[in-house]
């Protein structure tokens, strides 16, 4: 008996996943996660374009059904659903602290991995400057932020 297209696709997906390949394109995974960097970028960009498109025509980008009114980003139904969900799954302070600590630990691990590899600890895209832990672009961005903060403090003080 011949397999259907759905079954062949599922088998291909499963085989690629088991062999440490990207389930979408079949290339070797170049990052920790489900998809390779290229496919992840394509998925992210596609979703961003979809959200922008639906907002531009006045339809909720979450449910893709309801009409948006005014400056809303999501429809009333979606906002209500998420409000009920947040209320139902309200986290205690201990749970929030646990998640916060886990996130901090993950970010700390990423920082040290990037530092050992000699790449920028902030963006992870470019080689770090000599004697620094960030690339030239991130250093310039940080300098601009600090300049703006200093200027705003000086202006408030006058």
């Amino acid at each position: 008996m011949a397999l259907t297209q759905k079954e062949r696709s599922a088998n291909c997906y499963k085989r690629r996943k088991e062999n440490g390949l990207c389930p979408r394109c079949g290339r070797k995974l170049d990052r920790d996660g489900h998809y390779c960097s290229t496919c992840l970028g394509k998925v992210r960009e596609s979703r961003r374009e979809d959200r922008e498109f639906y907002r531009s025509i006045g339809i909720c980008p979450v449910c893709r059904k309801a009409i948006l009114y005014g400056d809303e980003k999501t429809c009333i139904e979606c906002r209500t659903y998420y409000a009920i969900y947040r209320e139902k799954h309200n986290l205690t302070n201990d749970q929030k602290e646990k998640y916060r600590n886990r996130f901090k630990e993950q970010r700390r691990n990423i920082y040290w991995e990037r530092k050992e590899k000699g790449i920028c600890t902030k963006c992870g895209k470019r080689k770090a400057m000599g004697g620094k832990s960030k690339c030239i672009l991130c250093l310039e961005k940080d300098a601009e932020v600090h300049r703006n903060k200093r200027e705003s403090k000086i202006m408030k003080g006058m």
Side-chain angles (χ1 to χ4, degrees), residues 82-102:
Y82 287 116
I84 292 169
Y85 181 87
R86 280 192 306 271
E87 189 176 304
K88 183 178 176 185
H89 295 91
N90 193 9
L91 298 176
T92 64
N93 286 337
D94 291 340
Q95 290 170 321
K96 287 179 186 177
E97 189 63 31
K98 183 178 85 170
Y99 291 136
R100 197 174 295 121
N101 289 337
R102 184 169 48 182

Side-chain angles (χ1 to χ4, degrees), residues 64-158:
R64 299 179 177 184
K65 297 175 187 173
I67 296 172
L68 296 177
Y69 298 100
D71 294 339
E72 295 178 333
K73 291 187 178 181
T74 58
C75 67
I76 296 168
E77 292 86 9
C78 290
R79 286 197 311 269
T80 305
Y81 171 80
Y82 287 116
I84 292 169
Y85 181 87
R86 280 192 306 271
E87 189 176 304
K88 183 178 176 185
H89 295 91
N90 193 9
L91 298 176
T92 64
N93 286 337
D94 291 340
Q95 290 170 321
K96 287 179 186 177
E97 189 63 31
K98 183 178 85 170
Y99 291 136
R100 197 174 295 121
N101 289 337
R102 184 169 48 182
F103 179 75
K104 283 181 185 177
E105 185 64 31
Q106 288 171 343
R107 294 306 303 171
R108 194 176 297 120
N109 290 340
I110 289 170
Y111 175 90
W112 286 109
E113 284 175 16
R114 289 176 177 174
K115 191 165 177 91
E116 287 173 6
K117 291 179 183 176
I119 58 177
C120 177
T121 56
K122 189 171 185 179
C123 68
K125 296 177 185 176
R126 291 170 285 280
K127 189 177 178 193
M129 291 289 295
K132 304 283 185 183
S133 61
K134 296 179 188 172
C135 65
I136 186 71
L137 293 177
C138 290
L139 286 169
E140 288 174 358
K141 287 178 188 176
D142 285 351
E144 181 66 27
V145 167
H146 291 295
R147 262 193 304 276
N148 291 340
K149 279 186 180 180
R150 244 188 334 270
E151 287 174 5
S152 67
K153 285 182 182 179
I154 291 171
M155 294 301 284
K156 286 180 183 178
M158 290 183 162

Side-chain angles (χ1 to χ4, degrees), residues 31 39-49 51:
R31 58 180 286 281
C39 291
L40 183 66
K42 288 178 183 177
V43 168
R44 189 178 296 134
E45 184 60 30
S46 172
R47 288 182 181 163
R48 182 181 301 118
E49 288 172 0
R51 280 192 310 272

Side-chain angles (χ1 to χ4, degrees), residues 12 29 32 41 50 53 72 114 136:
C12 179
L29 285 176
D32 290 337
D50 286 349
F53 170 75
E72 295 178 333
R114 289 176 177 174
I136 186 71

